Amino acid sequence: QVQLVQSGAEVKKPGASVKVSCKTSGYTFTGYYIHWVRQAPGQGLEWMGWINPNNDATKYVQKFQGRVTITRDTSVSTAYMELSSLRPDDTAVYYCAKTGRWAVYDSWGQGTLVTVSS
Amino acid sequence: DIQMTQSPSTLSASVGDRVTITCRASQSITNFLAWYQQKPGKAPKVLIYRASSLESGVPSRFSGSGSGTEFTLTISSLQPEDFATYYCHPYKSYPYSFGQGTKLEIK
């Protein structure tokens, strides 16, 4: 079955960077986009960007342009999201999600809590 | 950018009730709208795609309708497991966004 397994919780200081991994299995990794969505505590969902694992193309929301980098390693079917220059308001659960046949998110990772605090 | 206005933000209802959640888009998204259900501490789960298509495995008491700028999610007869937060999600153009969410609470 399709699985997306994310790396564990992180605590970072302001100004640092964090890199979250999303290891996939159960499907052809290069066949479907991986998106990243975050959710601040008690808040709604916020889309960050995607990667096409087939050709490494990426797209980011302008809000994070320059601070977020999404990459992939096809040899281990894993996508990564790195966020730099962290601020306290970057504290959130970060999710990876796979798009399906109809371009909606049909499978999600379990989420990774990133806490930014001095 | 497409802005979504979702209402209500909170909805109190009882088991067996019929409930409707609405999302309004700032511009036409034709039928590129999905609905997600999220339970506390869990990732969202897709219920509806293309405004009215039921995702495989989702109970038939969930239905979606609408096109253009007005969309609704209806739960025909609430079950205990349906108490959760629901989000609409337009996916016609970038940047993607989500509605603000509707928390469905037990009355």
Side-chain angles (χ1 to χ4, degrees), chain A residues 39 50 59 95 102 105 108, chain B residues 36 38 42 44 49 87 94:
Chain A
Q39 186 170 39
W50 55 249
K59 191 167 190 70
Y95 292 102
W102 301 108
Y105 307 132
W108 295 68
Chain B
Y36 291 86
Q38 187 179 33
K42 300 294 187 183
Y49 62 92
Y87 295 94
Y94 298 111

Side-chain angles (χ1 to χ4, degrees), chain A residues 33 35 37 39 43-47 50 59 61 95 102-106 108-110, chain B residues 34 36 38 41-46 49-50 55 87 89 91 94-98 100:
Chain A
Y33 286 31
H35 290 232
V37 174
Q39 186 170 39
Q43 303 301 307
L45 303 168
E46 182 176 28
W47 180 75
W50 55 249
K59 191 167 190 70
V61 67
Y95 292 102
W102 301 108
V104 294
Y105 307 132
D106 62 357
W108 295 68
Q110 81 277 21
Chain B
Y36 291 86
Q38 187 179 33
K42 300 294 187 183
K45 170 189 169 185
V46 64
Y49 62 92
R50 284 200 173 180
E55 174 74 353
Y87 295 94
H89 169 55
Y91 55 100
Y94 298 111
Y96 282 178
S97 62
F98 293 86
Q100 301 93 322

Side-chain angles (χ1 to χ4, degrees), chain B residues 30-35 47-55 62-67 71-73 91:
Chain B
T30 59
N31 66 342
F32 289 98
L33 186 100
W35 290 95
L47 303 173
I48 302 286
Y49 62 92
R50 284 200 173 180
S52 60
S53 296
L54 193 67
E55 174 74 353
F62 292 93
S63 64
S65 64
S67 66
F71 301 88
T72 59
L73 172 71
Y91 55 100

